[in-house]
Amino acid sequence: LKSLLEHTAREDLDAAQAALDQLPAAALLEDDAASAVARLRIYRREPDKALEILRAIPRDFLASNWFIGPKAHLTGWAHEVAGRKDAAQIDWRVALFVVEQRLAATPNDPDLVSWKAELLSVVGERDEAERILRLYQQLVGVSDTEIDSNSVDTFLRLGRRDEVIAWLSAQLHAEKRNPKWHA
């Protein structure tokens, strides 16, 4: 919690890292700590440290307060930040495979459908990503131009930045706004 507050409220990545550095090493094998530390390391432009943490996790899907999704999405993101585009693409393909396996069991899970749209967008399958994004929007009951916290990254990856900026502006001025959008 201290790390989250330092990161999102104070926008102090060093203080957020200092808070997470207090965790015992064994905690980094749990989804909560591992995903928090890995994401923060990526934000701090320390992708290899993020990869070190993520490689120790034996699961292919993480579920925590910080992150719910395929571990390979995070490793792909770390590789992307490190400038290793081919490695990122491979990991994102692995993440897409993991999501598609889960979708086979629950094809109407909006979170998994959202993941599929985002992963298709990062591997360059734009048309299919747009189609799956529309499916996600139908499942959650929004129009095909509406953005939510699950679809914002997909909109960005699809180059729909103006829509994201308009949405973020509306979020920042909304009466009931999520404080993380400021950061």
Side-chain angles (χ1 to χ4, degrees), residues 31-107:
D31 292 1
D32 275 328
S35 60
V37 172
R39 286 172 45 126
L40 186 61
R41 290 294 188 177
I42 295 169
Y43 292 145
R44 291 171 48 87
R45 301 294 189 243
E46 299 171 338
D48 291 326
K49 290 181 179 180
L51 287 167
E52 183 180 323
I53 292 159
L54 292 166
R55 286 180 181 134
I57 305 296
R59 295 169 296 288
D60 62 5
F61 200 88
L62 305 177
S64 75
N65 292 327
W66 294 77
F67 178 82
I68 299 173
K71 178 179 76 169
H73 166 74
L74 293 174
T75 59
W77 183 22
H79 283 300
E80 179 185 41
V81 168
R84 297 184 290 261
K85 294 182 192 259
D86 292 339
Q89 286 292 312
I90 288 170
D91 281 358
W92 287 328
R93 292 266 177 206
V94 168
L96 183 57
F97 178 77
V98 168
V99 166
E100 287 175 335
Q101 282 184 315
R102 287 175 173 258
L103 276 169
T106 55

Side-chain angles (χ1 to χ4, degrees), residues 104-121:
T106 55
N108 63 343
D109 181 321
D111 293 328
L112 291 173
V113 172
S114 175
W115 270 118
K116 183 173 181 176
E118 181 176 345
L119 291 162
L120 286 166
S121 71

Side-chain angles (χ1 to χ4, degrees), residues 1-179:
L1 179 58
K2 184 175 181 180
S3 177
L4 177 65
L5 291 173
E6 294 291 358
H7 171 227
T8 59
R10 294 192 176 134
E11 300 179 19
D12 186 339
L13 297 181
D14 292 334
Q17 185 61 55
L20 290 177
D21 286 344
Q22 296 175 29
L23 292 171
L28 296 179
L29 296 175
E30 299 300 324
D31 292 1
D32 275 328
S35 60
V37 172
R39 286 172 45 126
L40 186 61
R41 290 294 188 177
I42 295 169
Y43 292 145
R44 291 171 48 87
R45 301 294 189 243
E46 299 171 338
D48 291 326
K49 290 181 179 180
L51 287 167
E52 183 180 323
I53 292 159
L54 292 166
R55 286 180 181 134
I57 305 296
R59 295 169 296 288
D60 62 5
F61 200 88
L62 305 177
S64 75
N65 292 327
W66 294 77
F67 178 82
I68 299 173
K71 178 179 76 169
H73 166 74
L74 293 174
T75 59
W77 183 22
H79 283 300
E80 179 185 41
V81 168
R84 297 184 290 261
K85 294 182 192 259
D86 292 339
Q89 286 292 312
I90 288 170
D91 281 358
W92 287 328
R93 292 266 177 206
V94 168
L96 183 57
F97 178 77
V98 168
V99 166
E100 287 175 335
Q101 282 184 315
R102 287 175 173 258
L103 276 169
T106 55
N108 63 343
D109 181 321
D111 293 328
L112 291 173
V113 172
S114 175
W115 270 118
K116 183 173 181 176
E118 181 176 345
L119 291 162
L120 286 166
S121 71
V122 296
V123 298
E125 296 184 28
R126 295 179 56 84
D127 292 342
E128 185 65 2
E130 288 277 4
R131 188 182 76 74
I132 299 298
L133 176 60
R134 285 190 300 277
L135 172 60
Y136 166 75
Q137 291 165 320
Q138 290 172 18
L139 288 172
V140 297
V142 299
S143 75
D144 63 359
T145 59
E146 286 185 73
I147 300 173
D148 65 12
S149 59
N150 281 349
S151 63
V152 68
D153 289 337
T154 306
F155 272 76
L156 285 172
R157 294 287 189 166
L158 291 171
R160 297 171 68 177
R161 289 174 181 83
D162 290 343
E163 293 166 86
V164 172
I165 290 170
W167 177 76
L168 280 171
S169 180
Q171 295 301 306
L172 291 172
H173 294 97
E175 187 174 317
K176 292 182 179 181
R177 63 182 171 268
N178 185 331

